[in-house]
Amino acid sequence: MSTLPTINFNVAGVTFEGRDKFIATMKGTEPVALAAQPQNQFDPEAVGVLVNWDTENPFQVGFVPKPLNKVILCLFQNGIRFSEKITSCGLYSGKPYVSIEITILKK
């Protein structure tokens, strides 16, 4: 499998639903995955960012930001897969942040 360029972004929505408390405890080594959320009541094109997705207690830290979510969703729908990793996370001036790098894997 060959790879295409990487995409880096800051996760959106990290201050809602108690996510800030969880993010404050993250080490940045947690497994991360993207998940399409067509049932999302606010945006049927939403793509969630999940950490610890391979455990019994996955946690959604937020979303792929707009308009990048539409690009990611289109790639998902066309069978393109990704390799995801956290590049940094924590609190900056008391505000939570999570930065992600995804590598698009060619079929």
Side-chain angles (χ1 to χ4, degrees):
M1 220 178 240
S2 61
T3 59
L4 296 174
T6 59
I7 300 171
N8 294 285
F9 61 90
N10 290 327
V11 177
V14 295
T15 59
F16 298 101
E17 300 176 351
R19 295 179 184 134
D20 54 340
K21 292 175 182 62
F22 181 86
I23 291 167
T25 68
M26 289 175 56
K27 295 181 174 103
T29 57
E30 296 83 358
V32 62
L34 305 180
Q37 297 185 337
Q39 304 304 322
N40 184 300
Q41 65 179 342
F42 301 107
D43 182 2
E45 295 175 323
V47 178
V49 178
L50 305 170
V51 297
N52 296 328
W53 62 271
D54 61 345
T55 70
E56 293 180 14
N57 297 309
F59 190 86
Q60 182 169 332
V61 293
F63 299 90
V64 173
K66 292 180 181 183
L68 184 56
N69 65 320
K70 292 181 181 189
V71 173
I72 299 299
L73 186 60
C74 181
L75 293 171
F76 269 153
Q77 292 169 340
N78 284 288
I80 304 298
R81 295 294 168 245
F82 309 93
S83 170
E84 307 94 349
K85 71 177 182 178
I86 298 169
T87 56
S88 62
C89 63
L91 299 176
Y92 180 76
S93 296
K95 296 182 181 179
Y97 72 95
V98 178
S99 298
I100 302 290
E101 176 182 280
I102 60 173
T103 301
I104 302 168
L105 303 174
K106 201 171 191 175
K107 285 184 183 182

